[in-house]
Structures are given as structure tokens and as C-alpha cells.
Amino acid sequence: MKEMVLQTKVKVCGFDELPAADKELVEAARAATSCSYAVYSKFNVGAAVRLDDGTIVSGSNQENAAYPSGLCAERTTIFWANSQYPTKAVESLAIAARNEQGELAVPIPPCGACRQVILETEKRFNRAMRIILYGAKECYIIEDGVKALLPLSFDSNFLE
Ligand code: THU
């Protein structure tokens, strides 16, 4: 039997060590947590994307009494960006979160459904996204796109 080893490279650093462009995007994601509508979970998530012309768009999670009708910060942001700027590729994505105690020390990774949407967006624009996950204690940088977070992924190639 053969074995496949699927590796994921994640860079770990403090916020202060991030390149200036990443810091700016993270700050937009952190600020977006205050626009979150998270009355049920009290878990405020903010996301920000940088488009290929430098435009930054941010968004936050929007919850609903019918829980599955709510949407994560990442998808809110990407869908908003893509619906406003359908020809601009998404270059990078930052995610930040806080709960009632304040900002989380460790980064939150995007959920599975958001990873799938990130993958579709990468495919759509033929461009891997730089993903920056913010935590007050440490940040993670995924440089080579969402495939690192979603190995053996299903995309439109299988539909051909
Ligand atoms: N949430 C996000 O917005 N992004 C994630 O990556 C994980 C979870 C939201 C969904 C829900 O509103 C709340 O956080 C608790 O799960």
C-alpha cells in the first residue's frame, strides 16, 4: 500500500513581526469584529480581504435566530467583495476574533465551509490567497493558499 503525506506549512509570529501590509489587513479584520452581529454565540469574528488593486474590504459574522441562516465573517466578506468587485482577484485574507473576555490569544482558523468558499475564490481568479490568522499572542501566516488548510479538496476540476 502506498501512503500520501500531505503537508501544511504555517508561519508563526507575533503581530509586531508581521509585514506592514499584513498588519494593515489584520487591523481591518480586528476593527470589523465590532460590526459583528453575534447575539447568540457572543463570538465576534472579523475578516478583511485585500484585492489585487489594493482595495481592502472587511466584514463580520452575521447570526440569525434560525442558526444555520447566519453567515461567517469570511464568507460575508468574500461574497461582498466579489459581488462589488467581480473582476478583482482576492490577494489576501485576514481573520480576527474576540469573545466576551476580549481578543483570542490564539488565531481562529476558518471553518470548513469557509475554506471551500476560499478555494472557489482562488480558482475563480487563478490566484492563491495569502491567509493571515490573528491571535493576540501569536499569528499564523499561510502563504500558499487555502489548499494547505483543505488538502484533498474538491473543486471544479472534478466536474470536467
Ligand atoms: N464564525 C466565523 O465567523 N468564522 C469562523 O471561522 C468560525 C466561526 C462565526 C460563526 C458564528 O457566528 C460564530 O462564529 C460562532 O461559531
Side-chain angles (χ1 to χ4, degrees), residues 41 43 45 61 63 72-74 108-111:
S41 70
F43 191 71
V45 186
N61 55 328
E63 296 186 348
C72 292
E74 297 88 327
I108 66 146
C111 79

